[in-house]
Amino acid sequence: MDIRIGIFNSPREIGFETSQPAAEIEEAVAKALAGSTGYLKLSDDKGRIYIVPTIGLAYVELGSETSRRVGFVA
């Protein structure tokens, strides 16, 4: 799944791919915005961890869960 995170006052966004289901990511975002932790913590397929303070969180965009096809598909 592709994830893009927008940060306030930043022209760039954080973008990465993860194997987590959309429901888990949505739940993590909701908990972070509810104020229980004060930050959003997600990890990608390569093992990197992204920690974003909820104060700077502008948006979280969840892409499709299907993988992209490369090449010719019959």
Side-chain angles (χ1 to χ4, degrees), residues 42-60:
L42 298 171
S43 61
D44 67 2
D45 287 340
K46 297 178 182 178
R48 288 183 242 157
I49 297 175
Y50 299 88
I51 300 173
V52 180
T54 54
I55 263 281
L57 200 60
Y59 64 88
V60 177

Side-chain angles (χ1 to χ4, degrees), residues 28-38 54:
V29 171
K31 282 183 182 179
L33 293 175
S36 61
T37 59
T54 54

